[in-house]
């Protein structure tokens, strides 16, 4: 179990949810519904096709949020911490929804389920309302790293702060995949600056996608790596029920965090950099500004064969042969060389005599063994 850490005040930050989904400040989360319908996101991603290969076994995912309602029948926590020094309850509902998208347990009587239900799920409560504390966010990231998380989901957007950047670098240095919401557009003119930690190098920044795969109008277009479903969603909620019509990049991020868990489970040899790269390379493709590599594709992310990951390995250097295995050449016997040379010379001489005899003996027989006239024949 993760220990408690006292609250430290600092700069405020906001959940990366659309403005219409602002949560109440007191511990009175919006009322949950006892039933839930299957959302387009589940149909589009169709993660059940991946489950014969992996459901996220052996991977730890930390949810840094408003807490998680562990009494929910589809939530199974392996660890929890309260960094706010209040309670472990989710008084907002947001953290419970994020946890359900990542690891909601499948049930035969309900159409809702998480992306990677076999992961080891940790809840790190970092806020009690829609506002939080950047120091606690940094501390929560370090806590998750110290608890050996393989994937960290941060559905929160904040301003760039040295302590937050340091915490992100600390987690990346421990080979953790950090998935963060790219944030929502805040200004009336549709413009928005980068959100952190999503905009830090090494963080998998997630924008919100519409059912047709395009970018949601409220999704911050800055520093987006991939898209996840982020509007008209359903998920688990505080009060052992469900909420529909959820929207925001904070709900898109856990879909991608779940896919990262599936990849890490299926390909444990990949470091966090190659996990992020695999998710981007196998996404459905960009569809305009602020869409990154496009909608995440769970099946391809887990099963695609990427040539860049197939590194040729040189064969090992063989062990040197023992001295006894190498036979030295015996030096030649000089006397034997001389005798052999003489025999060879004699043989060549005899061969020469034989050739001469073969040519000239027939000629002698024809002349009756008389010498020929040096001047040739004379006239009578």
């Amino acid at each position: 179990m993760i220990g408690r850490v006292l609250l430290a005040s600092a700069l405020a930050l906001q959940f990366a949810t659309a403005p219409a989904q602002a949560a109440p400040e007191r511990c009175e989360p919006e009322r949950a519904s006892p039933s839930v319908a299957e959302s387009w996101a589940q149909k589009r991603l169709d993660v059940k096709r991946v489950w014969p290969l992996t459901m996220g076994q052996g991977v730890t995912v930390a949810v840094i949020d408003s807490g998680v309602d562990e009494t929910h029948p589809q939530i199974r926590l392996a660890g929890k911490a309260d960094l706010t020094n209040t309670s472990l309850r989710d008084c907002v509902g947001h953290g419970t929804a994020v946890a359900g998208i990542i690891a909601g347990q499948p049930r035969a009587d309900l159409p809702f389920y998480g992306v990677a239900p076999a992961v080891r799920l940790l809840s790190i409560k970092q806020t009690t309302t829609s506002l939080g504390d950047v120091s606690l966010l940094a501390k929560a990231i370090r806590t998750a790293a110290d608890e050996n998380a393989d994937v960290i989901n941060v559905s929160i957007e904040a301003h760039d702060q040295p302590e937050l950047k340091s915490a992100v670098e600390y987690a990346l240095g421990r080979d953790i995949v950090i998935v963060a919401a790219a944030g929502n557009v805040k200004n009336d003119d549709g413009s928005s600056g980068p959100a952190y930690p999503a905009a830090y190098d090494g963080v998998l920044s997630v924008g919100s996608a519409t059912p047709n795969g395009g970018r949601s109008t409220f999704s911050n277009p800055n520093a987006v790596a991939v898209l996840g479903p982020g509007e008209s969603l359903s998920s688990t909620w505080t009060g052992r029920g469900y909420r529909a019509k959820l929207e925001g990049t904070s709900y898109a991020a856990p879909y991608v965090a779940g896919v990262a868990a599936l990849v890490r489970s299926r390909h444990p040899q990949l470091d966090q950099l190659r996990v992020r790269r695999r998710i981007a390379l196998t996404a459905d493709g960009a569809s305009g500004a602020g869409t990154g590599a496009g909608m995440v594709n769970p099946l391809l992310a887990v099963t695609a064969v990427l040539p860049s990951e197939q590194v040729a390995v040189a064969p090992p250097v063989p062990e040197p042969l023992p001295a006894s295995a190498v036979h030295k050449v015996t030096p030649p016997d000089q006397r034997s060389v001389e005798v052999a040379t003489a025999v060879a010379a004699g043989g060549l001489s005899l061969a020469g005599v034989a050739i001469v005899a073969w040519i000239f003996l027939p000629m002698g027989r024809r002349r009756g063994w008389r010498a020929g006239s040096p001047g040739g024949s004379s006239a009578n």
Side-chain angles (χ1 to χ4, degrees), residues 30 46-47 59 67 131 153 155 195 239 242 250 306 376:
E30 296 183 29
D46 197 10
V47 296
V59 174
L131 298 178
N153 185 89
S155 288
Y242 305 88
S250 62
L306 301 181

Side-chain angles (χ1 to χ4, degrees), residues 218-230:
F218 59 78
S219 182
N220 187 341
N222 292 286
V224 174
V226 293
L227 298 180

Side-chain angles (χ1 to χ4, degrees), residues 137-162:
L137 177 57
K139 187 173 290 186
I141 292 172
R142 288 181 176 272
T143 300
D146 291 339
E147 291 298 321
N148 300 314
D150 300 295
V151 179
I152 297 175
N153 185 89
V154 184
S155 288
I156 297 168
E157 54 179 310
H159 296 294
D160 180 19
Q161 296 293 329

Side-chain angles (χ1 to χ4, degrees), residues 187-232:
N187 303 328
D188 293 337
D189 61 1
S191 63
S192 184
Y196 296 89
Y200 288 133
D201 289 340
V203 176
L204 189 58
S205 177
V206 183
S208 171
T210 62
N212 65 9
R215 179 175 66 90
S216 300
T217 56
F218 59 78
S219 182
N220 187 341
N222 292 286
V224 174
V226 293
L227 298 180
E231 59 179 79
S232 301

Side-chain angles (χ1 to χ4, degrees), residues 45-65:
L45 299 186
D46 197 10
V47 296
K48 285 188 175 181
R49 292 189 298 167
V50 184
W51 287 358
L53 299 174
T54 176
M55 297 177 74
Q57 299 91 327
V59 174
T60 298
V61 180
V63 175
I64 297 174
D65 218 289

Side-chain angles (χ1 to χ4, degrees), residues 288-313:
T291 62
M295 179 81 87
V296 66
N297 189 317
L299 183 62
L300 285 181
V302 170
T303 63
V305 177
L306 301 181
S308 58
E309 291 179 357
Q310 310 304 312
V311 180
V313 179

Side-chain angles (χ1 to χ4, degrees), residues 182-341:
N184 302 316
V185 174
K186 298 295 189 298
N187 303 328
D188 293 337
D189 61 1
S191 63
S192 184
Y196 296 89
Y200 288 133
D201 289 340
V203 176
L204 189 58
S205 177
V206 183
S208 171
T210 62
N212 65 9
R215 179 175 66 90
S216 300
T217 56
F218 59 78
S219 182
N220 187 341
N222 292 286
V224 174
V226 293
L227 298 180
E231 59 179 79
S232 301
L233 304 175
S234 300
S235 188
T236 50
W237 199 257
T238 297
R240 301 173 59 85
Y242 305 88
R243 282 291 308 278
K245 299 182 180 179
L246 298 172
E247 63 179 33
T249 59
S250 62
Y251 298 118
Y255 279 105
V256 177
V259 173
L262 294 176
V263 172
R264 298 219 86 166
S265 176
R266 182 65 175 173
H267 304 281
Q269 78 281 7
L270 299 183
D271 60 15
Q272 58 87 11
L273 174 61
R274 290 191 290 174
V275 171
R276 290 187 286 111
R277 183 173 177 273
R278 170 174 275 270
I279 290 172
L281 288 176
T282 57
D284 287 345
S287 56
T291 62
M295 179 81 87
V296 66
N297 189 317
L299 183 62
L300 285 181
V302 170
T303 63
V305 177
L306 301 181
S308 58
E309 291 179 357
Q310 310 304 312
V311 180
V313 179
V317 179
E319 294 290 333
L321 293 173
S324 60
V326 180
H327 298 286
K328 296 182 179 180
V329 178
T330 304
D333 183 349
Q334 189 62 34
R335 176 62 179 167
S336 299
V337 173
E338 293 174 354
V339 171
T341 302

